[in-house]
Amino acid sequence: MEWFEGISSILLILLVVLVIIPIITVVFLYFFDRTQKQHAILRNFPILGRMRYILEKIGPEFRQYLFDDDHSGKPFNREDFLHIVLPGKYLGNVIGFGSKRDFDDAGFYIRNAMFTKQVDELHVDAEERIHTKKYVMDADNLFSRKEHTEEVDVNPWLLAEDDAIVIGPNCNEPFHVRSLVGQSAMSYGALGKNAITALSKGIGMAQGSWMNTGEGGISEHHLAGKTDLISQIGSGLFGYRTKEGEFSWDMLAEKAAMPHVKAFELKLAQGAKTRGGHVEAEKVTDEIAKIRNIEPHVTINSPNRFRQFDDFPTLFDFIEKIREHGGLPVGIKIVVGSPQDADDLAIYMKESGKGPDFISIDGAEGGTGATYQDLADGVGLPIHSGLVLLQDALVRHGVRDRVKIIASGKIITPDRAAVMLALGADLINIARGFMISVGCIMAQRCHSNDCPAGVATTNPKLQNGLIIDEKKYRVTNYIVSMREGLFRVAAAAGLDSPTKLSSEHIVYKDAYGRVFSVEDLEKK
């Protein structure tokens, strides 16, 4: 009898949990929704309205994983995502059967040579191998996956010494670059310490590349990998300001004396936000506030522009002063808005004999941790247009040889990078590609401090999920794969180095199948 009473008790509990409590909850929600005055849908359609809001909430995830095809996701589609993840994780990006590119669409194509270069003909530095780790797949079943890591030594695919890109050759300490690919500006604060540390260590292991600190100043996490740094100075002057918000020349000299700081960059604009930076208060920890010399736990909104200059003469004077005090190359980060903007810059460089040592040009499609939709969608030109205008203006006014161009804006694969080099860039900056290599799943929660991957957050609990000693190898592998791909594309174009890519090595095919050279496009 006791066993019968025990079963009866269990059944009674199940009845309460599975039937009575749900019924009470539904009845309560029905009358609550009926009487609330905030949402018309809930008031008119109790319960069903809640289902609508739930579906609306989880809609982005459903579209990303179930309904969007491989090429329809924005800002990066599934194919883009895999082109970053697979090389970083498995050190491989070989595909089978054929391309998924829509060849009816308009776009740039690299001209393949009738007589290509073989690997042993490439002008590349492959002497010092890079020690890294990659994943090897053991089994990939429907409900399970088994894989293990292996230690490997890989070719670094560095530029040969005589092909190195020299930024600021007339500076006291020029910046010699042996990699065509580096990390674009990402601040500590926008990204968490684990992400910054993994990026720094991964880039450092890859050799020859660089890391842009972003406008948040230099942290110990940027220095963890002992990699070359481009220290960005934004309009908020973070890391270069007094408590009163004035520019500090002492802090500049202090940063210039750091052995891994190779150049300074003044951020005039960024692709997705042609304005100052924005960081929510909950992301401004005590450590971040100390690095930036600001108050902790207070929302940061940088000014729209520097107070130190407001035209080309004052900008160029400020550049000269930084170069004199620091002894390092000085660049500017811009977004081109029109042919006139590019012309004005080049004309003043010619007339004054002054100017930046490098120009980082971002496209309107460039990313950000936080901005406004109207700025991201409507302000500034995309990178293809902006780069062509800048290159043309600098060449036309005879100042191209005085400055290096670093291009950025969704350039995440070797073929896209090769097109940018052919259009006039000397180097390539990548931000979101590095974020994905370090674990970003494109949840688009960068501005909220609740990034589920622990990348764009300062929340200690979420950051704990990002293991530095695992992700750093993915960063290294992604860089090496990008560099290898650039040499592979150059070989296909009949060149022994991607540094030799120029406008004659690409063509543009429109939606009607007509083919144009870059020069033809510039005339239209």
Side-chain angles (χ1 to χ4, degrees):
M1 245 355 237
E2 290 182 1
W3 65 269
F4 181 77
E5 290 177 358
I7 291 176
S8 299
S9 299
I10 293 172
L11 291 174
L12 180 61
I13 292 171
L14 289 174
L15 178 66
V16 171
V17 172
L18 298 178
V19 179
I20 297 177
I21 291 179
I23 289 175
I24 292 173
T25 302
V26 169
V27 171
F28 171 78
L29 289 175
Y30 179 88
F31 286 103
F32 179 83
D33 290 345
R34 263 298 187 206
T35 56
Q36 59 82 35
K37 299 178 180 180
Q38 185 177 1
H39 302 287
I41 294 295
L42 292 181
R43 192 172 174 88
N44 291 334
F45 302 97
I47 310 302
L48 286 176
R50 285 185 178 271
M51 293 177 62
R52 175 192 178 276
Y53 288 123
I54 291 172
L55 291 173
E56 184 179 60
K57 186 72 175 177
I58 63 176
E61 286 79 10
F62 269 72
R63 287 190 292 274
Q64 181 179 359
Y65 294 106
L66 296 177
F67 303 121
D68 281 344
D69 64 38
D70 288 347
H71 293 89
S72 61
K74 299 290 183 183
F76 292 97
N77 58 49
R78 191 176 293 114
E79 281 289 301
D80 292 333
F81 184 76
L82 291 177
H83 288 328
I84 300 166
V85 172
L86 296 182
K89 189 173 182 180
Y90 301 105
L91 254 180
N93 51 6
V94 176
I95 66 170
F97 200 67
S99 172
K100 294 182 180 179
R101 178 176 182 173
D102 188 343
F103 292 99
D104 291 329
D105 285 348
F108 285 97
Y109 289 83
I110 297 152
R111 289 179 57 184
N112 59 297
M114 293 296 291
F115 304 99
T116 59
K117 294 292 183 181
Q118 296 190 350
V119 174
D120 59 4
E121 296 178 296
L122 296 177
H123 195 48
V124 60
D125 182 349
E127 289 185 12
E128 189 176 343
R129 308 281 284 180
I130 293 175
H131 184 73
T132 184
K133 291 182 181 180
K134 69 173 182 177
Y135 279 85
V136 177
M137 186 75 68
D138 299 314
D140 189 12
N141 301 314
L142 183 60
F143 296 108
S144 65
R145 172 186 292 175
K146 186 178 180 182
E147 52 193 7
H148 68 277
T149 57
E150 285 185 359
E151 296 187 3
V152 292
D153 292 324
V154 298
N155 185 342
W157 294 98
L158 291 170
L159 298 178
E161 292 238 11
D162 55 348
D163 275 343
I165 307 299
V166 183
I167 299 176
N170 298 319
C171 294
N172 293 344
E173 298 180 50
F175 182 18
H176 292 257
V177 182
R178 301 279 302 284
S179 168
L180 290 172
V181 176
Q183 184 213 287
S184 192
M186 291 192 285
S187 301
Y188 174 46
L191 269 60
K193 62 181 181 181
N194 284 16
I196 293 291
T197 302
L199 287 166
S200 177
K201 289 187 174 183
I203 294 169
M205 288 161 51
Q207 307 169 15
S209 194
W210 71 91
M211 182 183 200
N212 191 307
T213 65
E215 63 177 304
I218 301 173
S219 70
E220 63 179 281
H221 315 298
H222 289 104
L223 299 168
K226 300 179 179 179
T227 187
D228 290 341
L229 297 177
I230 295 177
S231 184
Q232 189 181 79
I233 306 172
S235 56
L237 308 179
F238 304 127
Y240 296 88
R241 56 179 276 153
T242 64
K243 281 290 185 182
E244 295 72 36
E246 298 300 320
F247 190 83
S248 170
W249 295 102
D250 290 337
M251 288 185 178
L252 177 81
E254 176 189 313
K255 303 300 192 303
M258 293 180 173
H260 297 292
V261 175
K262 302 299 182 182
F264 294 107
E265 178 183 87
L266 296 173
K267 176 187 168 186
L268 276 62
Q270 180 180 336
K273 55 179 182 187
T274 48
R275 61 179 291 275
H278 172 88
V279 182
E280 290 291 339
E282 60 184 316
K283 297 184 81 172
V284 186
T285 64
D286 291 337
E287 181 189 10
I288 289 166
K290 183 179 179 181
I291 293 167
R292 299 190 179 203
N293 206 17
I294 57 173
E295 292 299 318
H297 315 297
V298 176
T299 295
I300 304 170
N301 279 300
S302 302
N304 273 11
R305 66 166 177 80
F306 287 78
R307 293 194 302 274
Q308 287 70 24
F309 50 83
D310 57 8
D311 56 15
F312 283 120
T314 52
L315 166 62
F316 282 23
D317 287 345
F318 194 62
I319 290 173
E320 291 286 317
K321 196 172 180 181
I322 292 177
R323 191 185 289 118
E324 289 171 6
H325 276 74
L328 302 178
V330 183
I332 57 175
K333 182 170 185 177
I334 65 171
V335 175
V336 172
S338 71
Q340 188 63 50
D341 291 343
D343 258 358
D344 290 345
L345 172 61
I347 288 170
Y348 195 75
M349 286 181 64
K350 179 180 181 179
E351 292 176 348
S352 67
K354 302 177 182 179
D357 297 297
F358 65 96
I359 299 173
S360 295
I361 176 172
D362 201 4
E365 64 271 62
T368 178
T371 190
Y372 299 101
Q373 173 272 321
D374 42 18
L375 294 177
D377 288 352
V379 180
L381 290 173
I383 186 60
H384 288 95
S385 301
L387 177 56
V388 169
L389 292 175
L390 179 63
Q391 167 75 0
D392 177 63
L394 293 173
V395 170
R396 195 157 21 87
H397 295 289
V399 294
R400 179 63 180 88
D401 60 333
R402 288 169 38 192
V403 65
K404 300 301 181 188
I405 297 177
I406 310 177
S408 62
K410 296 182 72 173
I411 310 170
I412 56 169
T413 58
D415 55 315
R416 296 183 194 181
V419 169
M420 293 298 113
L421 295 174
L423 288 175
D426 296 290
L427 298 166
I428 303 298
N429 261 337
I430 301 173
R432 284 172 292 182
F434 278 106
M435 287 179 66
I436 292 171
S437 73
V438 89
C440 166
I441 62 169
M442 302 191 299
Q444 299 185 52
R445 304 292 297 167
C446 309
H447 60 292
S448 65
N449 205 36
D450 58 4
C451 166
V455 178
T457 178
T458 58
N459 183 315
K461 182 179 178 181
L462 293 172
Q463 287 189 85
N464 190 52
L466 197 160
I467 306 301
I468 296 169
D469 286 334
E470 194 268 343
K471 299 299 184 185
K472 67 182 183 182
Y473 292 109
R474 300 200 190 194
V475 175
T476 299
N477 296 345
Y478 176 57
I479 297 176
V480 172
S481 297
M482 282 289 296
R483 297 197 300 223
E484 179 183 7
L486 277 170
F487 272 96
R488 186 167 52 238
V489 170
L495 305 172
D496 62 7
S497 172
T499 59
K500 297 179 180 178
L501 285 163
S502 66
S503 59
E504 67 182 82
H505 298 112
I506 59 172
V507 294
Y508 182 83
K509 183 195 75 68
D510 69 13
Y512 300 99
R514 295 174 298 190
V515 177
F516 303 93
S517 68
V518 174
E519 289 71 21
D520 291 335
L521 291 175
E522 291 174 352
K523 295 173 185 176
K524 289 185 175 294

